[in-house]
Amino acid sequence: MSFQTEIVKWYLINKRALPWRDTTDAYVIWLSEIILQQTRVEQGLPYFNNFLQSYPTVTDFANATETQILKLWQGLGYYSRGRNMLFTARQIRDSHAGIFPRKYDDLIQLKGVGEYTAAAISSFSANESKAVLDGNVFRVLSRYFGIETAINSTEGKKQFNELAQALIEDQQPSLYNQAIMEFGALQCKPKSPDCGNCPVQSGCYAKTNDRVSLLPLKLKKLKKRTRYFNYFVCFDGGQLLVNKRTAGDVWQELYDFPLIETENPYLEDQEQFLTKLKTNFGEACIIAPLAKQKHLLTHQTIYVQFFALDNYIINFNMNAEIKWVSLAAFEELPQPKVITNFMISNSIKQ
DNA sequence: ATCCCGTCGG
DNA sequence: CCGACGGGAT
Protein backbone atom coordinates (compact mmCIF):
# COMPACT_ATOMS: atom_id res chain seq x y z
CA MET A 1 0.00 0.00 0.00
CA SER A 2 1.31 3.42 -0.89
CA PHE A 3 2.20 6.05 1.68
CA GLN A 4 -0.81 8.12 0.64
CA THR A 5 -3.21 5.18 0.88
CA GLU A 6 -1.95 4.32 4.36
CA ILE A 7 -2.34 7.89 5.51
CA VAL A 8 -5.89 8.15 4.18
CA LYS A 9 -6.80 4.80 5.71
CA TRP A 10 -5.41 5.95 9.05
CA TYR A 11 -7.36 9.19 8.75
CA LEU A 12 -10.71 7.55 8.14
CA ILE A 13 -10.31 5.63 11.38
CA ASN A 14 -8.67 8.26 13.57
CA LYS A 15 -9.93 11.65 12.43
CA ARG A 16 -11.47 14.00 14.93
CA ALA A 17 -15.03 15.09 14.31
CA LEU A 18 -14.64 18.79 13.66
CA PRO A 19 -17.39 21.16 12.57
CA TRP A 20 -15.55 22.48 9.50
CA ARG A 21 -15.06 19.04 8.03
CA ASP A 22 -17.69 17.74 5.64
CA THR A 23 -18.58 21.16 4.34
CA THR A 24 -17.63 22.57 0.97
CA ASP A 25 -18.72 26.09 1.87
CA ALA A 26 -15.61 28.11 1.07
CA TYR A 27 -16.63 30.81 3.54
CA VAL A 28 -16.88 28.33 6.41
CA ILE A 29 -13.58 26.73 5.45
CA TRP A 30 -11.93 30.15 5.20
CA LEU A 31 -13.25 31.02 8.64
CA SER A 32 -11.81 27.85 10.12
CA GLU A 33 -8.49 28.08 8.31
CA ILE A 34 -7.75 31.66 9.30
CA ILE A 35 -8.68 30.92 12.89
CA LEU A 36 -6.45 27.85 12.87
CA GLN A 37 -3.39 29.69 11.53
CA GLN A 38 -0.79 29.52 14.28
CA THR A 39 -3.49 28.17 16.54
CA ARG A 40 -4.31 24.77 17.98
CA VAL A 41 -7.65 23.16 17.19
CA GLU A 42 -8.71 23.05 20.85
CA GLN A 43 -8.13 26.76 21.23
CA GLY A 44 -9.67 27.78 17.91
CA LEU A 45 -12.77 25.60 18.07
CA PRO A 46 -14.92 27.79 20.36
CA TYR A 47 -13.95 30.88 18.33
CA PHE A 48 -14.98 29.16 15.12
CA ASN A 49 -18.38 28.30 16.59
CA ASN A 50 -18.91 31.84 17.86
CA PHE A 51 -17.96 33.41 14.55
CA LEU A 52 -20.09 31.10 12.46
CA GLN A 53 -23.08 31.62 14.72
CA SER A 54 -22.64 35.41 14.66
CA TYR A 55 -21.88 35.60 10.94
CA PRO A 56 -23.40 32.68 9.02
CA THR A 57 -22.38 34.11 5.64
CA VAL A 58 -19.50 36.18 4.34
CA THR A 59 -21.90 39.06 3.81
CA ASP A 60 -22.93 38.94 7.46
CA PHE A 61 -19.26 39.04 8.31
CA ALA A 62 -18.67 41.96 5.97
CA ASN A 63 -21.46 43.94 7.62
CA ALA A 64 -19.84 43.72 11.04
CA THR A 65 -17.75 46.52 12.49
CA GLU A 66 -14.06 46.11 13.20
CA THR A 67 -14.78 46.46 16.88
CA GLN A 68 -17.27 43.61 16.77
CA ILE A 69 -14.85 41.36 14.93
CA LEU A 70 -11.96 42.12 17.24
CA LYS A 71 -14.14 41.67 20.28
CA LEU A 72 -15.05 38.21 19.10
CA TRP A 73 -11.41 37.57 18.25
CA GLN A 74 -10.25 38.65 21.69
CA GLY A 75 -7.85 36.20 23.28
CA LEU A 76 -6.97 34.40 20.06
CA GLY A 77 -3.89 36.46 19.25
CA TYR A 78 -2.50 37.68 15.95
CA TYR A 79 -5.25 40.24 15.62
CA SER A 80 -4.30 41.25 12.12
CA ARG A 81 -5.99 38.00 11.09
CA GLY A 82 -9.31 39.44 12.22
CA ARG A 83 -8.70 42.79 10.57
CA ASN A 84 -7.64 41.14 7.31
CA MET A 85 -10.73 38.94 7.38
CA LEU A 86 -13.01 41.94 7.61
CA PHE A 87 -11.20 43.61 4.74
CA THR A 88 -11.51 40.44 2.66
CA ALA A 89 -15.15 39.85 3.57
CA ARG A 90 -16.05 43.37 2.49
CA GLN A 91 -14.14 42.94 -0.74
CA ILE A 92 -16.08 39.77 -1.46
CA ARG A 93 -19.36 41.43 -0.58
CA ASP A 94 -18.64 44.45 -2.76
CA SER A 95 -16.64 43.05 -5.67
CA HIS A 96 -17.50 39.35 -5.84
CA ALA A 97 -21.27 39.58 -5.31
CA GLY A 98 -20.84 37.92 -1.94
CA ILE A 99 -19.58 34.69 -3.51
CA PHE A 100 -16.49 33.33 -1.85
CA PRO A 101 -13.76 32.30 -4.35
CA ARG A 102 -12.74 28.63 -4.58
CA LYS A 103 -9.88 28.70 -7.03
CA TYR A 104 -6.34 28.79 -5.67
CA ASP A 105 -5.31 31.62 -7.97
CA ASP A 106 -8.22 33.77 -6.79
CA LEU A 107 -7.85 32.84 -3.14
CA ILE A 108 -4.16 33.69 -3.02
CA GLN A 109 -5.07 37.28 -3.93
CA LEU A 110 -7.07 37.72 -0.75
CA LYS A 111 -5.60 39.55 2.20
CA GLY A 112 -4.64 37.12 4.92
CA VAL A 113 -4.66 34.14 2.58
CA GLY A 114 -1.20 32.79 1.83
CA GLU A 115 -0.05 29.65 0.06
CA TYR A 116 -1.14 27.25 2.74
CA THR A 117 -4.61 28.71 3.21
CA ALA A 118 -5.25 29.04 -0.52
CA ALA A 119 -4.34 25.37 -0.99
CA ALA A 120 -6.53 24.35 1.93
CA ILE A 121 -9.62 26.26 0.83
CA SER A 122 -9.33 25.32 -2.84
CA SER A 123 -8.86 21.63 -2.11
CA PHE A 124 -11.46 21.36 0.66
CA SER A 125 -14.13 23.38 -1.11
CA ALA A 126 -13.56 22.43 -4.75
CA ASN A 127 -11.19 19.47 -4.74
CA GLU A 128 -8.53 21.47 -6.50
CA SER A 129 -5.35 19.44 -6.53
CA LYS A 130 -3.14 21.77 -4.51
CA ALA A 131 -1.06 20.20 -1.78
CA VAL A 132 -1.21 21.88 1.61
CA LEU A 133 2.10 22.51 3.29
CA ASP A 134 1.75 23.43 6.92
CA GLY A 135 3.89 22.57 9.92
CA ASN A 136 2.30 19.13 10.15
CA VAL A 137 3.00 18.25 6.54
CA PHE A 138 6.59 19.47 6.73
CA ARG A 139 7.13 17.21 9.71
CA VAL A 140 5.52 14.11 8.23
CA LEU A 141 7.29 14.42 4.89
CA SER A 142 10.70 15.20 6.31
CA ARG A 143 10.54 12.21 8.62
CA TYR A 144 8.98 9.66 6.32
CA PHE A 145 10.93 10.58 3.18
CA GLY A 146 14.09 11.60 5.00
CA ILE A 147 14.29 15.16 3.72
CA GLU A 148 17.20 16.70 5.57
CA THR A 149 16.84 20.13 4.00
CA ALA A 150 15.77 22.86 6.42
CA ILE A 151 12.05 23.58 6.13
CA ASN A 152 12.59 27.32 6.48
CA SER A 153 15.22 27.57 3.76
CA THR A 154 14.37 28.61 0.23
CA GLU A 155 15.72 25.33 -1.11
CA GLY A 156 13.76 23.36 1.47
CA LYS A 157 10.47 25.04 0.65
CA LYS A 158 10.95 24.27 -3.02
CA GLN A 159 11.85 20.65 -2.33
CA PHE A 160 8.95 20.04 0.05
CA ASN A 161 6.55 21.76 -2.31
CA GLU A 162 7.54 19.53 -5.19
CA LEU A 163 7.29 16.38 -3.11
CA ALA A 164 3.93 17.35 -1.58
CA GLN A 165 2.51 18.23 -4.98
CA ALA A 166 3.73 14.96 -6.51
CA LEU A 167 2.14 12.96 -3.70
CA ILE A 168 -1.31 14.49 -4.12
CA GLU A 169 -1.51 13.90 -7.87
CA ASP A 170 -3.49 10.67 -7.91
CA GLN A 171 -5.33 11.30 -4.67
CA GLN A 172 -8.66 12.83 -3.76
CA PRO A 173 -7.24 16.26 -2.89
CA SER A 174 -9.59 17.19 -0.08
CA LEU A 175 -9.41 13.83 1.63
CA TYR A 176 -5.66 13.42 1.27
CA ASN A 177 -4.82 16.96 2.40
CA GLN A 178 -6.95 16.63 5.49
CA ALA A 179 -5.53 13.18 6.16
CA ILE A 180 -1.87 14.13 6.11
CA MET A 181 -2.41 17.17 8.32
CA GLU A 182 -4.44 15.20 10.83
CA PHE A 183 -1.81 12.49 10.77
CA GLY A 184 0.85 15.06 11.60
CA ALA A 185 -1.23 16.59 14.35
CA LEU A 186 -2.22 13.37 16.10
CA GLN A 187 0.26 10.65 15.17
CA CYS A 188 3.48 12.17 13.82
CA LYS A 189 3.64 14.76 16.59
CA PRO A 190 6.59 17.10 17.10
CA LYS A 191 7.61 15.66 20.45
CA SER A 192 7.71 11.97 21.30
CA PRO A 193 5.41 10.59 18.60
CA ASP A 194 4.12 7.08 19.13
CA CYS A 195 6.12 5.43 16.36
CA GLY A 196 5.38 1.96 17.71
CA ASN A 197 1.75 2.48 16.73
CA CYS A 198 2.42 4.14 13.40
CA PRO A 199 0.98 2.52 10.27
CA VAL A 200 3.86 3.69 8.08
CA GLN A 201 6.73 3.01 10.46
CA SER A 202 8.28 0.34 8.26
CA GLY A 203 8.76 2.78 5.39
CA CYS A 204 9.72 5.72 7.59
CA TYR A 205 13.25 7.04 7.07
CA ALA A 206 13.38 8.77 10.44
CA LYS A 207 12.18 5.72 12.34
CA THR A 208 14.61 3.43 10.54
CA ASN A 209 17.55 5.78 10.99
CA ASP A 210 16.72 7.00 14.48
CA ARG A 211 16.20 10.58 13.26
CA VAL A 212 12.64 11.12 14.51
CA SER A 213 13.56 13.63 17.19
CA LEU A 214 15.91 15.46 14.79
CA LEU A 215 13.49 15.99 11.90
CA PRO A 216 12.31 18.25 10.47
CA LEU A 217 15.46 20.31 10.25
CA LYS A 218 15.05 23.98 10.87
CA LEU A 219 17.56 26.76 10.45
CA LYS A 220 18.28 28.49 13.71
CA LYS A 221 16.72 31.89 13.90
CA LEU A 222 19.94 33.77 14.10
CA LYS A 223 19.37 36.70 16.33
CA LYS A 224 21.96 39.35 15.76
CA ARG A 225 24.36 40.06 18.53
CA THR A 226 25.21 43.70 19.13
CA ARG A 227 28.76 44.38 20.22
CA TYR A 228 30.89 47.40 21.01
CA PHE A 229 34.54 47.35 20.00
CA ASN A 230 36.81 50.07 21.34
CA TYR A 231 40.08 50.09 19.43
CA PHE A 232 43.22 51.86 20.56
CA VAL A 233 45.58 53.22 18.00
CA CYS A 234 49.10 53.29 19.41
CA PHE A 235 51.45 54.83 16.89
CA ASP A 236 54.97 55.51 18.08
CA GLY A 237 58.23 56.03 16.24
CA GLY A 238 56.75 54.77 12.99
CA GLN A 239 55.55 51.60 14.70
CA LEU A 240 51.95 50.53 15.19
CA LEU A 241 50.69 48.26 17.95
CA VAL A 242 48.69 45.47 16.36
CA ASN A 243 46.79 42.47 17.58
CA LYS A 244 46.44 39.11 15.92
CA ARG A 245 42.91 37.85 16.44
CA THR A 246 42.52 34.42 17.88
CA ALA A 247 40.11 31.56 17.38
CA GLY A 248 36.53 31.57 18.56
CA ASP A 249 35.54 34.97 17.30
CA VAL A 250 35.13 36.98 14.13
CA TRP A 251 38.11 37.76 11.93
CA GLN A 252 40.16 34.83 13.11
CA GLU A 253 43.87 35.15 12.19
CA LEU A 254 43.40 38.70 10.96
CA TYR A 255 45.14 41.69 12.47
CA ASP A 256 43.50 44.59 14.23
CA PHE A 257 44.43 46.83 17.15
CA PRO A 258 44.40 46.36 20.90
CA LEU A 259 40.74 46.13 21.78
CA ILE A 260 38.48 46.62 24.73
CA GLU A 261 35.05 45.21 24.20
CA THR A 262 32.23 46.66 26.27
CA GLU A 263 28.61 45.61 26.67
CA ASN A 264 27.43 49.14 25.90
CA PRO A 265 28.75 52.16 24.05
CA TYR A 266 31.66 53.43 26.13
CA LEU A 267 29.85 56.67 26.95
CA GLU A 268 26.95 54.72 28.44
CA ASP A 269 29.05 52.65 30.80
CA GLN A 270 32.18 54.65 31.41
CA GLU A 271 32.96 52.81 34.61
CA GLN A 272 33.40 49.49 32.85
CA PHE A 273 35.25 51.15 30.03
CA LEU A 274 37.70 53.09 32.20
CA THR A 275 38.41 50.13 34.44
CA LYS A 276 39.43 48.04 31.45
CA LEU A 277 41.36 50.94 29.98
CA LYS A 278 43.44 51.44 33.12
CA THR A 279 44.12 47.75 33.46
CA ASN A 280 45.57 47.64 30.00
CA PHE A 281 47.16 51.05 29.52
CA GLY A 282 47.89 52.34 33.00
CA GLU A 283 46.29 54.86 35.34
CA ALA A 284 47.63 57.96 33.68
CA CYS A 285 46.65 57.29 30.10
CA ILE A 286 44.54 59.79 28.19
CA ILE A 287 42.15 58.99 25.42
CA ALA A 288 40.96 60.99 22.47
CA PRO A 289 38.06 59.57 20.45
CA LEU A 290 38.70 59.19 16.73
CA ALA A 291 36.42 57.72 14.09
CA LYS A 292 33.31 55.60 14.64
CA GLN A 293 32.04 52.85 12.36
CA LYS A 294 29.02 50.60 12.33
CA HIS A 295 29.97 47.24 10.96
CA LEU A 296 27.37 44.71 9.84
CA LEU A 297 28.05 41.00 9.78
CA THR A 298 25.61 38.20 9.08
CA HIS A 299 25.16 37.47 12.75
CA GLN A 300 26.50 40.52 14.52
CA THR A 301 26.28 44.28 14.49
CA ILE A 302 29.54 45.74 15.69
CA TYR A 303 29.82 49.36 16.71
CA VAL A 304 33.45 50.30 16.39
CA GLN A 305 35.01 53.28 18.13
CA PHE A 306 38.67 54.18 17.58
CA PHE A 307 40.72 56.08 20.13
CA ALA A 308 44.08 57.77 20.15
CA LEU A 309 46.07 57.24 23.31
CA ASP A 310 48.53 59.45 25.10
CA ASN A 311 50.77 58.87 28.09
CA TYR A 312 50.01 55.18 28.13
CA ILE A 313 51.94 52.15 29.17
CA ILE A 314 51.29 48.76 27.68
CA ASN A 315 49.94 46.16 30.05
CA PHE A 316 47.77 44.70 27.37
CA ASN A 317 47.99 40.99 28.26
CA MET A 318 51.36 41.13 26.66
CA ASN A 319 50.83 37.82 25.04
CA ALA A 320 52.28 36.88 21.71
CA GLU A 321 49.22 38.25 19.92
CA ILE A 322 50.15 41.89 20.49
CA LYS A 323 53.21 43.34 18.85
CA TRP A 324 54.69 46.44 17.32
CA VAL A 325 55.02 46.49 13.56
CA SER A 326 55.98 49.12 11.05
CA LEU A 327 53.27 50.66 8.91
CA ALA A 328 54.77 48.99 5.89
CA ALA A 329 54.63 45.62 7.62
CA PHE A 330 51.07 46.24 8.78
CA GLU A 331 49.95 46.96 5.26
CA GLU A 332 51.13 43.49 4.33
CA LEU A 333 49.09 41.83 7.06
CA PRO A 334 45.51 40.67 6.58
CA GLN A 335 43.04 43.02 8.26
CA PRO A 336 39.29 43.19 8.80
CA LYS A 337 37.58 45.68 6.55
CA VAL A 338 36.80 47.89 9.48
CA ILE A 339 40.51 48.37 10.15
CA THR A 340 41.44 48.97 6.53
CA ASN A 341 38.64 51.55 6.28
CA PHE A 342 40.04 53.32 9.28
CA MET A 343 43.57 53.37 7.90
CA ILE A 344 42.43 54.68 4.54
CA SER A 345 40.01 57.30 5.79
CA ASN A 346 42.63 58.65 8.15
CA SER A 347 45.32 58.56 5.49
CA ILE A 348 47.61 56.63 7.76
CA LYS A 349 50.44 55.55 5.58
CA GLN A 350 54.14 55.83 5.36
C1' DA B 1 12.77 29.56 29.41
C1' DT B 2 11.79 27.58 24.72
C1' DC B 3 9.30 25.84 21.14
C1' DC B 4 5.44 25.88 17.80
C1' DC B 5 3.25 28.19 13.86
C1' DG B 6 1.23 31.31 8.36
C1' DT B 7 1.15 35.88 6.50
C1' DC B 8 2.45 40.48 5.84
C1' DG B 9 5.26 44.45 5.23
C1' DG B 10 9.59 46.58 5.16
C1' DC C 1 14.91 37.54 3.32
C1' DC C 2 13.51 38.63 7.98
C1' DG C 3 11.22 40.52 11.90
C1' DA C 4 6.64 41.26 13.86
C1' DC C 5 2.73 39.34 15.32
C1' DG C 6 0.10 36.09 20.64
C1' DG C 7 -1.06 32.50 23.06
C1' DG C 8 -0.49 27.87 24.72
C1' DA C 9 2.11 23.67 25.64
C1' DT C 10 6.01 21.62 27.46
Side-chain angles (χ1 to χ4, degrees), chain A residues 22-82:
Chain A
D22 309 316
T23 179
T24 54
D25 184 331
Y27 164 69
V28 177
I29 294 165
W30 169 72
L31 202 52
S32 71
E33 288 301 336
I34 305 290
I35 287 173
L36 293 177
Q37 284 170 6
Q38 309 293 288
T39 305
R40 283 158 210 284
V41 166
E42 311 81 68
Q43 194 200 356
L45 186 53
Y47 287 85
F48 170 81
N49 290 329
N50 286 342
F51 268 99
L52 191 55
Q53 192 173 8
S54 304
Y55 311 114
T57 70
V58 67
T59 304
D60 297 323
F61 197 111
N63 292 337
T65 65
E66 187 162 272
T67 308
Q68 289 173 321
I69 297 299
L70 291 177
K71 184 65 190 168
L72 218 50
W73 200 272
Q74 181 178 288
L76 199 51
Y78 287 117
Y79 296 91
S80 64
R81 289 183 291 172

Side-chain angles (χ1 to χ4, degrees), chain A residues 44 53 75 83 98 105 108 122 124 208 221 224 302 318 348:
Chain A
Q53 192 173 8
R83 292 194 298 272
D105 291 342
I108 196 76
S122 68
F124 300 164
T208 308
K221 276 253 175 261
K224 278 207 175 188
I302 303 178
M318 276 315 271
I348 301 180

Side-chain angles (χ1 to χ4, degrees), chain A residues 15 20 23 26 28-29 51 138 155 158 161 169 204 216 223 226 254 270-271 293 319-320 334 342:
Chain A
K15 68 174 174 180
W20 49 82
T23 179
V28 177
I29 294 165
F51 268 99
F138 275 119
E155 172 60 22
K158 183 169 165 262
N161 238 315
E169 284 313 325
C204 179
K223 54 169 183 256
T226 301
L254 273 60
Q270 297 208 43
E271 194 182 335
Q293 281 189 54
N319 53 41
F342 174 82

Side-chain angles (χ1 to χ4, degrees), chain A residues 64-135:
Chain A
T65 65
E66 187 162 272
T67 308
Q68 289 173 321
I69 297 299
L70 291 177
K71 184 65 190 168
L72 218 50
W73 200 272
Q74 181 178 288
L76 199 51
Y78 287 117
Y79 296 91
S80 64
R81 289 183 291 172
R83 292 194 298 272
N84 286 341
M85 282 180 102
L86 186 55
F87 179 93
T88 292
R90 289 178 175 171
Q91 193 181 7
I92 291 170
R93 177 194 63 191
D94 299 339
S95 308
H96 296 76
I99 298 168
F100 211 98
R102 290 162 178 252
K103 292 206 190 85
Y104 180 94
D105 291 342
D106 297 329
L107 290 159
I108 196 76
Q109 307 294 333
L110 303 175
K111 207 171 213 157
V113 176
E115 288 180 17
Y116 161 76
T117 307
I121 300 174
S122 68
S123 65
F124 300 164
S125 71
N127 255 315
E128 188 170 339
S129 190
K130 285 276 188 215
V132 289
L133 207 43
D134 72 344

Side-chain angles (χ1 to χ4, degrees), chain A residues 326-338:
Chain A
S326 71
L327 277 181
F330 188 53
E331 280 183 11
E332 297 307 310
L333 295 173
Q335 305 156 12
K337 191 151 186 297
V338 80

Side-chain angles (χ1 to χ4, degrees), chain A residues 153-216:
Chain A
S153 66
T154 308
E155 172 60 22
K157 280 175 189 150
K158 183 169 165 262
Q159 209 174 329
F160 279 94
N161 238 315
E162 284 168 5
L163 174 58
Q165 197 56 43
L167 288 170
I168 204 174
E169 284 313 325
D170 295 322
Q171 304 299 311
Q172 300 175 55
S174 174
L175 180 62
Y176 171 72
N177 269 344
Q178 300 202 51
I180 191 167
M181 287 197 288
E182 190 78 336
F183 182 78
L186 300 183
Q187 176 69 40
C188 197
K189 296 180 292 187
K191 299 254 166 77
S192 47
D194 184 6
C195 295
N197 263 328
C198 176
V200 293
Q201 56 179 290
S202 65
C204 179
Y205 168 93
K207 173 80 162 66
T208 308
N209 295 282
D210 203 22
R211 302 273 302 157
V212 174
S213 63
L214 300 172
L215 291 174

Side-chain angles (χ1 to χ4, degrees), chain A residues 278-299:
Chain A
K278 286 172 184 169
T279 304
N280 293 307
F281 293 105
E283 286 287 335
C285 71
I286 299 163
I287 56 162
L290 300 171
K292 284 193 278 193
Q293 281 189 54
K294 181 180 179 180
H295 197 77
L296 300 171
L297 303 175
T298 317
H299 51 301

